[in-house]
């Protein structure tokens, strides 16, 4: 199953040769705690354009967003999953496909000023925060925050409506300062009425659990399932078998947060490093390692050190 909105970084050619949320540390600016508190109560609806890296190329998708406190609904207006939507309520989140009458479980997003994946990168690091006037976004006045790591590299830039705590624009940067994801609202309205069932899944829809798909795929390919630590903020979205041949099995799993997609390959044989470097290009990085008698490669538009940190979190999934 291909992820709603995010394409898969397939490496078939190579085979042949995208806790819930960490809370801000006390050393963070006090405004961040205020934004988190406000977001848990905000009631808003709007249209935003989301930009993210797909197969090494930047693509933009249009979304309709409904937010009622910690409840959220995101409808995909275009792209490969037009007509699908995500809903989150009561600490549970689903990707719903009405045409197939099915809903896939997802990690909850909760109320946060940043994706959990970025929050986990910020935790325990000495960085710098810079606040400035943000100008108008979607007709609302904003405050802009630039977040830098300990090497003074820009990690994130976001524009927030300070009286509501709602992020109206966000940019995520790679280690070279290039934008690799983000979104911007073009329309937003506050204090709107919403249908009582806006954040629920029809009771007769089939529930799909990606972890069960991963276990089944690895069993078919004679591999041991490996997952990234969900506490780092990346949600397991999709699973695909690239090879089920004995001794050369390959299973690809796709992880994603709000603006970033990662591909994790579990293999019996290692990928060719030089060819992998050529195919991933300059925008994508990769990190390869061995674990439990298997070879793994993680690919995404993140700094090499961040991919290595995620790799260290990888653990065997019990079937």
């Amino acid at each position: 199953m291909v992820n709603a909105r995010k394409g898969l970084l397939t490496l078939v050619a190579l085979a042949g040769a995208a806790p819930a949320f960490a809370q801000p540390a006390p050393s963070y600016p006090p405004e961040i705690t205020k934004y988190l508190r406000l977001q848990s109560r905000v009631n808003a609806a709007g249209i935003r354009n989301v930009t993210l890296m797909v197969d090494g190329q930047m693509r933009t998708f249009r979304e309709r967003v409904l937010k009622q406190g910690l409840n959220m609904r995101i409808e995909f207006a275009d792209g490969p999953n037009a007509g699908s939507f995500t809903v989150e309520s009561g600490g549970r989140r689903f990707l719903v496909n009405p045409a197939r009458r099915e809903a896939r479980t997802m990690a909850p997003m909760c109320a946060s000023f940043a994706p959990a994946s970025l929050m986990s990168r910020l935790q325990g690091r000495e960085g710098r925060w810079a606040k400035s006037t943000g100008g108008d976004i979607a007709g609302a006045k904003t405050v802009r925050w630039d977040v830098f790591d300990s090497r003074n590299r820009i990690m994130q830039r976001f524009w927030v409506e300070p009286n509501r705590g709602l992020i109206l624009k966000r940019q995520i940067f790679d280690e070279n300062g290039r934008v690799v994801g983000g979104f911007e609202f073009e329309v937003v309205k506050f204090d709107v009425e919403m249908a009582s069932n806006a954040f629920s899944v029809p009771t007769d829809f089939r529930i799909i659990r990606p972890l069960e798909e991963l276990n089944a795929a690895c069993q078919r390919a004679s591999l041991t399932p490996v997952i990234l630590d969900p506490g780092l903020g990346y949600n397991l979205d999709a699973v695909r078998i690239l090879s089920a041949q004995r001794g050369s099995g390959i299973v690809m799993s796709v992880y994603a947060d709000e603006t970033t997609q990662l591909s994790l390959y579990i293999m019996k044989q290692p990928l060719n490093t030089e060819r992998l470097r050529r195919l991933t290009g300059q925008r994508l990085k990769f990190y390869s390692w061995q674990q439990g008698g298997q070879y793994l490669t993680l690919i995404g538009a993140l700094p090499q050190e961040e991919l290595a940190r995620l790799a260290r979190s990888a653990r065997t999934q019990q079937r």
Side-chain angles (χ1 to χ4, degrees), residues 39 42-45 65-72 111 166 194 199:
Q39 275 207 30
V42 70
N43 185 324
V65 178
L66 301 178
K67 184 169 173 57
Q68 187 181 68
L70 297 181
N71 299 331
M72 181 174 285
L166 187 66
M194 301 179 191
F199 306 100

Side-chain angles (χ1 to χ4, degrees), residues 45-71:
I47 303 295
R48 69 182 185 183
N49 295 305
V50 177
T51 302
L52 65 156
M53 186 79 67
V54 178
D55 292 348
Q57 300 294 324
M58 297 299 294
R59 296 183 61 186
T60 300
F61 303 90
R62 191 175 175 86
E63 299 177 347
R64 178 172 180 256
V65 178
L66 301 178
K67 184 169 173 57
Q68 187 181 68
L70 297 181
N71 299 331

Side-chain angles (χ1 to χ4, degrees), residues 182-245:
F183 65 77
E184 181 174 356
F185 278 87
E186 59 181 57
V187 177
V188 65
K189 295 182 178 180
F190 295 101
D191 302 320
V192 297
E193 293 187 6
M194 301 179 191
S196 59
N197 63 348
F199 306 100
S200 62
V201 176
T203 57
D204 59 340
F205 276 29
R206 181 169 68 101
I207 303 300
I208 299 174
R209 295 172 174 80
L211 279 179
E212 295 177 358
E213 292 185 322
L214 176 62
N215 288 339
C218 286
Q219 184 174 17
R220 181 180 168 190
S222 300
L223 294 165
T224 300
V226 176
I227 61 171
L228 300 180
D229 180 358
L232 296 182
Y234 291 97
N235 181 70
L236 176 60
D237 276 359
V239 178
R240 181 176 177 183
I241 299 175
L242 298 184
S243 173
Q245 295 181 4

Side-chain angles (χ1 to χ4, degrees), residues 8 46 91 124 157 302:
L8 298 176
R157 178 174 291 145
L302 290 175

Side-chain angles (χ1 to χ4, degrees), residues 110-145:
C110 305
S112 176
F113 79 101
S117 55
L118 186 60
M119 291 288 284
S120 70
R121 291 170 61 189
L122 292 171
Q123 292 292 330
R125 295 189 178 195
E126 294 183 3
R128 180 169 63 87
W129 298 69
K131 178 183 175 182
S132 61
T133 301
D136 290 355
I137 304 291
K141 294 188 181 302
T142 66
V143 173
R144 191 182 103 180
W145 286 87

Side-chain angles (χ1 to χ4, degrees), residues 28 122 124-129 147-152 155:
Y28 287 6
L122 292 171
R125 295 189 178 195
E126 294 183 3
R128 180 169 63 87
W129 298 69
V147 185
F148 301 85
D149 66 10
S150 59
R151 299 182 185 179
N152 204 37
M155 296 176 64

Side-chain angles (χ1 to χ4, degrees), residues 240-313:
R240 181 176 177 183
I241 299 175
L242 298 184
S243 173
Q245 295 181 4
R246 183 177 296 276
S248 59
I250 303 176
V251 169
M252 176 183 66
S253 51
V254 177
Y255 291 79
D257 69 357
E258 192 174 4
T259 57
T260 305
Q261 176 183 295
L262 302 171
S263 296
L264 175 63
Y265 294 82
I266 309 171
M267 303 162 288
K268 283 293 187 183
Q269 302 294 329
L271 295 174
N272 182 289
T273 301
E274 290 304 318
R275 192 172 185 189
L276 179 57
R277 185 173 290 111
R278 291 196 301 270
L279 291 181
T280 52
Q282 295 184 345
R283 285 191 173 272
L284 296 176
K285 304 291 185 181
F286 67 91
Y287 183 84
S288 298
W289 72 102
Q290 286 183 260
Q291 183 174 329
Q294 300 183 137
Y295 295 89
L296 297 101
T297 294
L298 183 62
I299 300 175
L302 290 175
Q304 188 80 17
E305 62 192 54
E306 177 62 13
L307 293 178
R309 186 179 75 96
L310 293 171
R312 290 193 295 270
S313 82

